[in-house]
């Protein structure tokens, strides 16, 4: 198979799990993130297991110049064969009332979850458009459908992703490009460790007393959506742990 899947935030969580499932099914990969050691490790591991081509690009999605410069380094025949873009890189930083929020935390979330997603999309869409086909997955969140106490700016950034998914779908429908918004509930990845700035005990406590989603649950769903027939598109999916009824309601034992 010639086709490539371009994944942002492939160094852990959902992005890494997507790399694994697409690799297992014979897709070539372009893996991106800031932690180059992890990118190389995943590249080496999957290349040993599956007969596919894997490229890695190490960049911070917040730095516009680096996003375009790094993507430009890919050979033309690879860029032209990108079929799927998974806009997954993202994070929450901090959780608390609006009047106590740290401006730097807000900037990190908006710059990564909204502006970074836009930069990568702007760099990749011309190749999909030229092929008159492609599929963009935007990883939103239940936080992009609802708001919850202390979630203010993270929720706003994911509401922006939700809006962008709808807008992209309209802008790209004439080019046969599918756009799917994926909105997960609580999933145990490195997400809470990042949100609580490395505090492992708070991060672990988020998932106590119920069975959260794991990264593979999201990756399997994305793979299912990506492999529907050409005339079928799934626009939006909210995926929750069974114990979670809404952003703020989780049944805990
Ligand atoms: P992880 O923390 O495990 O993964 C986040 C990924 O994003 C990492 O690979 C990280 O790579 C990358 N990333 C973060 N900031 C940047 C940046 N500035 N530039 C490039 N890459 C970056 O968390 P998840 O897998 O859980 O999160 C993936 C997505 O899913 C996020 O958008 C998150 O908001 C969303 N989400 C998560 C949920 C959850 O409960 N876990 C639920 C709903 C949505 P690196 O550090 O190497 O740059
Ligand atoms: C991550 C899920 O509920 O912490 O997007 O916002 S939540």
């Amino acid at each position: 198979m010639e086709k490539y899947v371009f994944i942002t935030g492939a160094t852990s969580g959902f992005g890494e799990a997507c790399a694994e499932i697409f690799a297992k099914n014979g897709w070539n990969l372009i893996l991106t993130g800031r932690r180059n050691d992890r990118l190389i490790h995943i590249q080496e591991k999957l290349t040993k297991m599956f007969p596919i081509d894997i490229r890695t690009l190490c960049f911070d999605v917040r730095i516009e110049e680096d996003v375009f410069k790094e993507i430009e380094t890919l050979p033309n025949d690879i860029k032209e064969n990108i079929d799927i873009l998974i806009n997954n890189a993202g994070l929450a930083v901090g959780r608390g009332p609006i009047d106590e929020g740290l401006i730097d935390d807000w900037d990190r979330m908006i710059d990564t979850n909204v502006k970074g997603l836009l930069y990568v999309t702007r760099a990749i869409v011309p190749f999909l458009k030229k092929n008159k086909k492609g599929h963009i997955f935007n990883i939103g969140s239940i936080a992009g459908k609802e708001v919850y106490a202390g979630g203010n700016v993270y929720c706003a950034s994911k509401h922006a992703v939700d809006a962008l998914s709808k807008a992209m779908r309209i802008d790209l429908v004439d080019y046969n490009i599918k756009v799917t918004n994926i909105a997960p509930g609580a999933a145990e990845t490195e997400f809470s460790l990042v949100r609580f700035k490395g505090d492992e005990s708070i991060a672990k406590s988020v998932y106590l007393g119920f069975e959260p989603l794991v990264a593979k649950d999201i990756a399997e769903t994305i793979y299912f959506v990506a492999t529907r027939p050409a005339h079928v598109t799934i626009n939006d999916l909210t995926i929750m742990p069974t114990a979670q009824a809404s952003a703020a309601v989780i049944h805990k034992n």
Side-chain angles (χ1 to χ4, degrees), residues 129-229:
K129 222 170 142 173
K130 207 168 153 198
N131 288 337
K132 282 225 163 222
K133 85 184 173 70
H135 200 154
I136 299 171
F137 287 86
N138 291 328
I139 310 304
S141 169
I142 187 63
K145 306 284 185 189
E146 302 172 34
V147 292
Y148 54 85
N152 41 61
V153 176
Y154 178 67
C155 294
S157 74
K158 290 299 184 179
H159 274 70
V161 173
D162 196 78
L164 284 169
S165 295
K166 291 175 188 150
M168 285 181 195
R169 204 172 290 131
I170 293 167
D171 292 345
L172 301 175
V173 70
D174 290 342
Y175 303 94
N176 193 32
I177 297 171
K178 304 180 184 186
V179 180
T180 301
N181 190 74
I182 299 281
E188 191 165 9
T189 59
E190 293 178 15
F191 176 84
S192 288
L193 198 59
V194 172
R195 176 172 230 172
F196 298 109
K197 303 179 180 177
D199 188 323
E200 287 187 17
S201 66
I202 299 182
K204 276 210 171 306
S205 72
V206 172
Y207 308 106
L208 288 180
F210 75 106
E211 187 172 351
L213 297 169
V214 293
K216 196 174 169 216
D217 298 322
I218 302 305
E220 284 177 350
T221 306
I222 290 174
Y223 186 74
F224 172 81
V225 174
T227 52
R228 291 312 83 211

Side-chain angles (χ1 to χ4, degrees), residues 12-42:
S12 66
F14 301 164
E16 182 178 3
C18 284
E20 283 169 8
I21 196 162
F22 278 94
K24 198 170 133 192
N25 286 284
W27 290 70
N28 299 313
L29 304 173
I30 302 157
L31 306 179
T32 78
R34 292 167 301 178
R35 288 171 289 183
N36 201 40
D37 53 335
R38 290 211 188 184
L39 290 173
I40 300 300
H41 171 74
I42 295 165

